[in-house]
Amino acid sequence: MEYADLLIENHGKVAVVRLNRPKAMNALNDNMMNELGDALRKFDKDPAINVIVLTGSEKAFAAGADIAAMANYDYQETYGNNYIGRNWEHILDIRKPVIGVVSGYCLGGGCELAMMCDFLIAADSAKFGQPEIKVGVTPGAGGTQRLPRAISKSKAMDMLLTTRMIDAVEAERTGLVSRVYPAAEVMSEAIKIAQGIAEMPVSVAMQIKDCVNQAYETTLRQGVAYERRYFHAGFGTPAQKEGMSAFLEKRKPDFEGL
């Protein structure tokens, strides 16, 4: 795949999608988001890929939306053309696991995009923030909704109203990211993690992702019922037969193609 604003790498069953607008600190514009949606959809359909890693550069995952591109928009343009909604949220429809890897600045729309990933791994250089109030707008891609779900109402209000950035240590402590590594090691460690997931049955990984996402949309009782349907259905699948047979036979399971 050839893109103007993305770089693509393949690591076996893992695809790495790297945001690549270095002169703009990976600020998110229409072309980049259109390309990102295209790449994610293609990898989601590719039977050779089980896990997708989304990252940026050492300096910035993404420093926000491209303010230079949107400064002169008016209400009719943003609402009428469904700005953000039309091409920022394709990632939410991806069924395979998407791991976000954050180094450097992850601000505004960049932080919102990162929170759309299934989980985040951060370099010790990472800085997270939602500074939209400084440019006279609210967040528009989930910053007021996903951030409090991730780190609590109080922490989110603090970041959103004061524009305070948090570092990787605080981001891990509050639950925004799952792991932190030295900047020089974060990508190699993230790829190892992704490759470990990629060796599991992709069908089950997709089901787990679906169930976890349901936890944010339903009551506990409804969510557990949803989960249990997948659990019961699993006993009719090759993945369950192979996994449990391998456990009983004390061998490594072979989930290739499952």
Side-chain angles (χ1 to χ4, degrees):
M1 302 179 194
E2 293 290 334
Y3 295 109
D5 294 325
L6 303 177
L7 297 176
I8 305 297
E9 303 169 20
N10 281 88
H11 299 264
K13 297 176 183 178
V14 177
V16 176
V17 180
R18 189 181 295 274
L19 306 178
N20 186 45
R21 295 187 69 215
K23 293 181 180 179
M25 297 284 282
N26 290 338
L28 310 176
N29 65 4
D30 269 348
N31 186 70
M32 176 183 276
M33 301 312 287
N34 287 335
E35 290 185 347
L36 179 58
D38 182 76
L40 291 172
R41 287 192 298 269
K42 285 178 178 175
F43 286 130
D44 206 34
K45 294 176 182 177
D46 187 345
I49 297 298
N50 285 6
V51 180
I52 303 165
V53 172
L54 177 61
T55 191
S57 69
E58 292 182 5
K59 291 184 178 180
F61 176 82
D66 192 337
I67 295 175
M70 66 179 178
N72 293 322
Y73 288 172
D74 60 24
Y75 172 76
Q76 178 55 37
E77 286 176 291
T78 54
Y79 179 76
N81 294 326
N82 194 21
Y83 178 54
I84 293 180
R86 68 174 178 260
N87 59 358
W88 281 49
E89 296 173 325
H90 299 302
I91 189 171
L92 301 177
D93 297 323
I94 302 305
R95 301 176 70 202
K96 293 175 181 175
V98 179
I99 302 171
V101 181
V102 177
S103 298
Y105 292 106
C106 186
L107 307 177
C111 189
E112 291 169 312
L113 176 62
M115 289 190 289
M116 295 184 205
C117 296
D118 295 316
F119 67 93
L120 295 178
I121 297 170
D124 56 8
S125 63
K127 300 284 187 183
F128 298 86
Q130 297 283 168
E132 286 89 343
I133 194 171
K134 280 186 176 180
V135 294
V137 293
T138 65
T144 66
Q145 303 302 304
R146 292 190 178 90
L147 193 60
R149 285 169 166 81
I151 68 173
S152 83
K153 175 186 174 183
S154 182
K155 282 281 189 180
M157 283 287 197
D158 182 359
M159 290 177 65
L160 289 159
L161 294 175
T162 71
T163 74
R164 182 176 74 90
M165 289 188 288
I166 63 173
D167 62 15
V169 172
E170 186 172 357
E172 183 183 30
R173 187 175 72 241
T174 57
L176 184 59
V177 306
S178 63
R179 311 190 196 191
V180 177
Y181 293 100
E185 302 170 16
V186 69
M187 276 307 298
S188 60
E189 292 296 331
I191 289 169
K192 287 179 189 176
I193 292 165
Q195 288 174 332
I197 296 171
E199 293 304 313
M200 304 298 176
V202 65
S203 59
V204 180
M206 291 161 66
Q207 291 164 8
I208 289 171
K209 174 173 176 172
D210 188 21
C211 287
V212 172
N213 286 334
Q214 282 294 314
Y216 289 89
E217 305 293 339
T218 64
T219 66
L220 176 60
R221 183 180 291 273
Q222 290 169 328
V224 171
Y226 192 87
E227 172 192 85
R228 192 151 303 143
R229 295 297 176 265
Y230 271 129
F231 175 71
H232 290 159
F235 286 84
T237 66
Q240 177 267 333
K241 304 306 177 193
E242 170 61 15
M244 293 192 180
S245 294
F247 178 85
L248 294 173
E249 295 165 12
K250 296 180 171 57
R251 61 175 174 83
K252 182 179 178 180
D254 179 8
F255 291 123
E256 186 68 34
L258 304 181

